[in-house]
Structure formats: structure tokens, C-alpha cells
Amino acid sequence: MAGIIYYRPAFSVKCCPPQNDFLQCLSLHLPNKTGISSVVYTPNDASYLSILLSSVRSLRFRSASTPRPQVIVTPFEESQIQTTILCARENGMQIRIRSGGHDYEGLSYTSQVPFVVLDLFNFSEVAIDVDQKTAWVGAGAIIGQLYYRISQTSKTLAFPAGACPTVGVGGLFSGGGYGPMLRKFGLAADNIIDARIIDVNGRILDRKSMGEDLFWAIRGGGGSSFGVITAWKLKLVTVPETLTIFSVGRTIEQNATQLVHKWQYIAPNLDEDILLSISIGPVNSSGAAGGKTIQANFNSVYLGGVDKLLPLLEQSFPELGVRREDCTEVSWIQSALFFGGYSIQVSPEVVTSRNPETRSTLPITRYYFKAKLDYVQEPISIKGFDGMWKLLLEREANMGELLVVPYGGKMKEISETALPFPHRAGNLYKIQQLAYWEESGAVASERSISWSRKLHDYMTPYVSKSPRASYMNYRDLDLGVNNYNGGDGKTSTSYAQASVWGLKYFKNNFKRLVQIKTKVDPTNFFRNEQSIPSLYSKSSSKNN
């Protein structure tokens, strides 16, 4: 099927001229001009909305008021991507590239100007070479598909990437990609050894032909600023057949504040085989004032058996009181189920579905949400945490959360210039701040987003400074956006404007990213509200 393309002979589209011209261009340049129903979708197509919404992971962007693409292209092969780029350039249409649809601000499928969504879900093949311990994975695959395929091939091979199974590898890897094994193996991007990308001129490039500068840029600098990545080659890692997981909860009445405070001195310095993260939020409690309290859940994976883990914890963090009965020995794929919000008893195949019938318990997959992120470089005081708890208690039970992940281990050994992702040595941990809500509508949304901003403001004295750093894969448009020139919809390429958010994501690596962008996409064709700018760009509606 991948080699057969069907094209609609005529377009019954009532829309702006650029869209009609774009569709006409596709019909002229794509081969086998007999129909386009399996590749190109417009709002007049019955399946348009289902395809659009199938990978809209944030409920904030599922409403009818969210700007929608004039066209969705779902290519089966690279030549169709080449043609899409050509026609979009010729007709002044922006391209938004979607892999899994988890962009926190919806930039892979929304825009304020006429645009095309290039949805890569058909590029989902995973090919594993066990002997070489490598894998090629299509940029449209989700990490659950990658994990499952690896687990069906070997009991001791794995890949260090994210937790949520429906996240697409195209965006995750190009932004860095952290997960439960980051202290042992670093980021996903640290373990990528080749890639295929289609540039603004339609050239298909691999690592050798793109050169080391561009290969550096797309591993942590955001691939969608530089072209369309179609596949990644991964260096797989070796893990034991047996891992150990546990999750223990402590409320503030059970000394949670003191435990979280001490955790700061311990977790970043533990053996690199251990990840001990924390999720903190308000929960109902009949015995607490106001009927709510704060609970900290200490979640862990250890690359080894429980008999080795317990002595390490007893020596380093006896106050946590982890018992043998709290621990479960699992395979690597079962640990992925655990961190992905599933019971380890379910079939691992559940993680291969983009829209699984068995829903994950991860709140981010169930509720409207707004997220912010900070890096902590000095331990926070007890008083500082008390202030966070006060703000969390303003939320309904389970509707506010701090996700706290320690660094150290491999992360402090890698230079901050090795990849565009700069957040390495010097960071104790990162702390993601999340507001969740269930009610639709602008009022509920603004109320929760305002709360997230208030919490973020409170965090200011306790987190990194100059710049106050953040992580591109937790995109936050509050940090700043690229300008638009008047009403013509063309993105400004001001270095000064983009550096407002760019330095927070990339620190001093931002300057090198801009230099590479200027070289490979000088007219800034691949752009969005937080794309890397080109120094020479003056975007025009034609040939840009």
C-alpha cells in the first residue's frame, strides 16, 4: 500500500486561493494522478476531523474555536513529503509537522495563519538489528510502538526515552527526550546515531550528507525548525532481565515535607542505576484541615533486583522506609507500563495503540492541562516547600501536581554543548508544574492557567537564573514567541525577540542553532511561534 498513491481528480473546496493553488500544485506534481483521497484531506472530507483530532493530545486544542489546517497531508513515502514542501513554498502555506501530537502548546497542528498539517503517522516502521544493537524507527511512530517492538526482540535491549506511550518519536527525540533511565544512559537524543531529514529544497539527507552541524541541531534543537525528519537510527542500550519498581506515598502528616527536603540531597547522588522521582499534589483527606492534604509519591525504577536495591536505599535514604513488600521485580517493558500509567499485569501490547481502549492513568492524558518547568540548582528550604503546598491546596484534589525528576549520573557527565539540550551538570533536578482541570470553556481554562502562572511566579527565588531555564519539549508560550509582521502572517526572524525564549531552552547553544538555521533554511520556511529564526529571513509568500 505504501507504494500506491490515490489522487482526487478535482477539488470541491470553497476556501482561500492559497489552499486551492496548493491543492492544484499537489495534483500536478504527485505521480499517478487518479485521486488523492488516501493522502490529502480538506475540511470537506468526511474523515478530515477524525484524522485531525486523532493525534490532538491536549484537550485545550480540541475545541471548534481552535484554528484548524486548510489541508492535512498523510504521506506514505518521502517523495510525497518532498512534493508537499515544494507546493507549500510556492503557495505561501506554512507546514506544521506532526508525529504524535503531544506538543504542549499545540504547535504541531495549530497556527494563526493558513497552514498545512503534515502528519507522519504512516512513517511508523521499527526495524531492529539485535547483533548491532541498533534500530531504525520512523518519525511517526509512538514510543510505545518502539518499546514493544524492542521487547519482542530481546529481553535485555532497551532504549532510554519518555514515559507516556503515545508520545511521537519525531518530536520527542528532536527536543531531547528524557525518561526513567536518563541517569544511566542520558537522553534519547544522546543515543541517536543517524537520521533522515528532508530539507527546504526537498533533498533527502542522512547524517553524512547533512553534515555534523545539522545532525547536532536536530538532536535537541527541535527538528521542525530545520526540515522534516522521517526516521531516526538509535543506539540501543543493555539492561538486566530483572528491574525493580516501587511507589510509596507520604502525606505531610507522615513527614512528606521533610522527606522531600532531604530527597534533594540524596536522589541526584544515588547510584546511576536508580531513578527516584516524586509526584506531589493535593489529595482528599478526612483528617486534614479543609478536607485535603499534600501527598508525595516517591516513584522508582532500579536496574537490578530487589536484593541489591534495598541495601542501597537503607544506606542512602532510610527515612523513606521502603520495604520489600513495596517493591516489584519486573521486565523492562513492564517498567515502561508502570511509568506509562498502566498496570504491569496488562498486555504490553497496549502501548502500541495511538488511542488505546485501556486508558493510561497519567493525568496529562485525561484532563485539560497547562505545564511549566524549572531547573533547581540549589536545595529548596522547608519554608519554600511549605509555600508550594499552600498553593497546591488551592486546587481541587488531584488537579495540581509537581513532577520532580533528579539529574546526576550520566546527565552530569555530558557537556552542555554536546547537543543543543544544555541542562546537564549543575542541575539537581527539574520540577514540572502542572494545572489540570475537567471543565471546558474559556473561564475554566483561564482560571487554571492563571493559577499555574501564580505558582511559577512563586518558584522564582528557588530555581535557575540568568537565564531561568526551561525545556523545549515542555513548550510554554508564556516564555515568549516570535513576532508576526503586521497582518500578513509572516513570522519575524528577530534574533533578539527569539532569544527571549531561546536562551531559556538552549542557553548559549541558541546562537549556534540560529547559525545552522540560517545556513540550511535561510528564508525561514520551517517556522512557528517558537522556531529557531534565520538571521537573513524576510519571509515572502512565494519561494520562501
Side-chain angles (χ1 to χ4, degrees):
M1 184 176 181
I4 303 174
I5 315 165
Y6 300 93
Y7 300 94
R8 186 181 299 110
F11 307 109
S12 56
V13 180
K14 296 179 180 179
C15 184
C16 49
Q19 174 185 322
N20 289 332
D21 292 343
F22 172 74
L23 293 171
Q24 183 65 29
C25 179
L26 290 180
S27 72
L28 290 173
H29 291 93
L30 285 167
N32 302 324
K33 305 167 194 170
T34 58
I36 63 171
S37 59
S38 69
V39 178
V40 178
Y41 301 87
T42 72
N44 288 345
D45 293 310
S47 52
Y48 166 89
L49 192 59
S50 63
I51 290 175
L52 174 64
L53 296 180
S54 65
S55 293
V56 174
R57 303 300 177 186
S58 175
L59 295 180
R60 281 201 290 147
F61 305 107
R62 293 181 71 90
S63 69
S65 61
T66 300
R68 291 174 174 172
Q70 279 68 36
V71 183
I72 303 171
V73 181
T74 61
F76 286 97
E77 52 191 39
E78 290 177 330
S79 63
Q80 296 164 347
I81 299 174
Q82 293 172 302
T83 299
T84 302
I85 293 171
L86 167 71
C87 293
R89 287 184 65 188
E90 287 189 353
N91 294 284
M93 300 284 285
Q94 277 196 19
I95 287 180
R96 296 298 167 102
I97 306 160
R98 186 164 74 173
S99 173
H102 277 268
D103 187 292
Y104 272 19
E105 297 283 11
L107 298 192
S108 63
Y109 49 81
T110 68
S111 177
Q112 297 301 320
V113 299
F115 72 107
V116 177
V117 164
L118 186 61
D119 198 319
L120 300 178
F121 64 81
N122 290 315
F123 284 73
S124 58
E125 182 178 359
V126 179
I128 296 172
D129 187 328
V130 174
D131 294 335
Q132 296 296 317
K133 297 182 180 179
T134 61
W136 274 101
V137 56
I142 58 174
I143 60 171
Q145 292 169 333
L146 173 64
Y147 289 173
Y148 180 75
R149 183 75 178 87
I150 294 172
S151 74
Q152 295 301 294
T153 306
S154 169
K155 293 182 179 180
T156 56
L157 290 179
F159 190 71
C164 182
T166 54
V167 170
V169 305
L172 180 70
F173 296 175
S174 69
Y178 89 95
M181 297 193 294
L182 86 165
R183 301 188 68 253
K184 178 70 172 182
F185 300 112
L187 305 174
D190 293 320
N191 296 276
I192 290 171
I193 55 178
D194 204 345
R196 289 176 66 86
I197 186 172
I198 303 176
D199 72 3
V200 68
N201 297 310
R203 297 179 302 170
I204 301 173
L205 308 171
D206 61 8
R207 179 175 183 172
K208 182 178 180 180
S209 56
M210 78 175 77
E212 289 302 304
D213 277 350
L214 182 53
F215 186 61
W216 175 86
I218 63 175
R219 292 174 297 149
S224 62
S225 289
F226 302 94
V228 180
I229 297 166
T230 61
W232 301 101
K233 187 177 184 181
L234 316 177
K235 177 184 66 178
L236 303 181
V237 301
T238 301
V239 297
E241 287 194 25
T242 300
L243 287 68
T244 304
I245 56 173
F246 69 80
S247 180
V248 294
R250 301 287 187 264
T251 64
I252 53 177
E253 293 79 17
Q254 297 169 319
N255 219 28
T257 306
Q258 288 71 26
L259 289 171
V260 171
H261 181 259
K262 183 159 189 179
W263 171 94
Q264 300 174 102
Y265 298 88
I266 296 169
N269 299 305
L270 286 171
D271 186 289
E272 64 181 12
D273 287 337
I274 305 174
L275 177 85
L276 181 57
S277 61
I278 322 175
S279 61
I280 307 167
V283 296
N284 288 322
S285 173
S286 58
K292 288 184 295 185
T293 189
I294 296 296
Q295 179 165 305
N297 294 315
F298 293 82
N299 306 305
S300 182
V301 60
Y302 172 62
L303 302 178
V306 65
D307 289 337
K308 292 184 178 180
L309 171 63
L310 288 175
L312 290 171
L313 290 174
E314 180 59 32
Q315 179 182 7
S316 60
F317 202 4
E319 297 87 350
L320 188 56
V322 177
R323 305 163 299 174
R324 179 174 291 268
E325 52 264 39
D326 296 320
C327 302
T328 305
E329 292 187 336
V330 296
S331 64
W332 169 68
I333 191 65
Q334 286 178 309
S335 75
L337 287 171
F338 171 71
F339 280 99
Y342 289 102
S343 164
I344 62 170
Q345 305 302 324
V346 305
S347 168
E349 196 169 3
V350 69
V351 300
T352 66
S353 174
R354 292 176 176 272
N355 294 285
E357 292 184 7
T358 303
R359 295 182 64 190
S360 167
T361 60
L362 296 178
I364 206 168
T365 68
R366 291 173 168 261
Y367 303 121
Y368 296 88
F369 74 92
K370 172 65 179 178
K372 292 182 173 293
L373 180 103
D374 277 299
Y375 288 92
V376 176
Q377 299 175 331
E378 299 289 340
I380 297 174
S381 65
I382 292 284
K383 180 180 178 181
F385 285 121
D386 284 340
M388 293 180 211
W389 305 166
K390 182 178 179 180
L391 285 166
L392 284 169
L393 287 169
E394 293 180 4
R395 304 291 294 169
E396 296 298 317
N398 306 309
M399 291 292 112
E401 186 175 28
L402 302 177
L403 292 178
V404 192
V405 179
Y407 274 31
K410 184 73 171 178
M411 290 297 288
K412 70 179 181 182
E413 298 171 6
I414 300 173
S415 165
E416 68 175 28
T417 61
L419 294 181
F421 179 97
H423 315 297
R424 307 287 190 168
N427 294 294
L428 295 176
Y429 57 93
K430 66 177 183 176
I431 182 165
Q432 186 177 186
Q433 307 129 49
L434 291 136
Y436 305 116
W437 64 100
E438 295 181 279
E439 183 183 352
S440 63
V443 174
S445 178
E446 183 55 38
R447 182 168 60 244
S448 290
I449 291 173
S450 294
W451 177 85
S452 75
R453 291 168 178 160
K454 182 167 67 172
L455 175 60
H456 193 63
D457 286 344
Y458 173 83
M459 300 285 292
T460 303
Y462 305 108
V463 299
S464 62
K465 299 171 180 64
S466 301
R468 182 176 181 173
S470 192
Y471 173 37
M472 195 198 75
N473 276 359
Y474 292 159
R475 195 189 301 278
D476 181 5
L477 295 185
D478 287 347
L479 301 181
V481 295
N482 295 334
N483 278 337
Y484 284 86
N485 297 330
D488 64 359
K490 301 303 181 289
T491 311
S492 167
T493 55
S494 162
Y495 177 88
Q497 182 68 22
S499 66
V500 171
W501 55 264
L503 292 175
K504 293 178 172 67
Y505 291 150
F506 306 113
K507 300 173 70 172
N508 291 332
N509 294 333
F510 181 64
K511 182 176 181 180
R512 184 180 175 191
L513 286 168
V514 172
Q515 292 170 340
I516 296 168
K517 168 73 171 184
T518 302
K519 180 179 179 180
V520 303
D521 183 18
T523 56
N524 199 30
F525 172 71
F526 292 108
R527 62 189 187 268
N528 60 47
E529 288 81 349
Q530 283 188 347
S531 58
I532 304 297
S534 167
L535 292 175
Y536 303 145
S537 171
K538 287 188 180 296
S539 299
S540 60
S541 62
K542 296 282 185 178
N543 301 320
N544 61 342

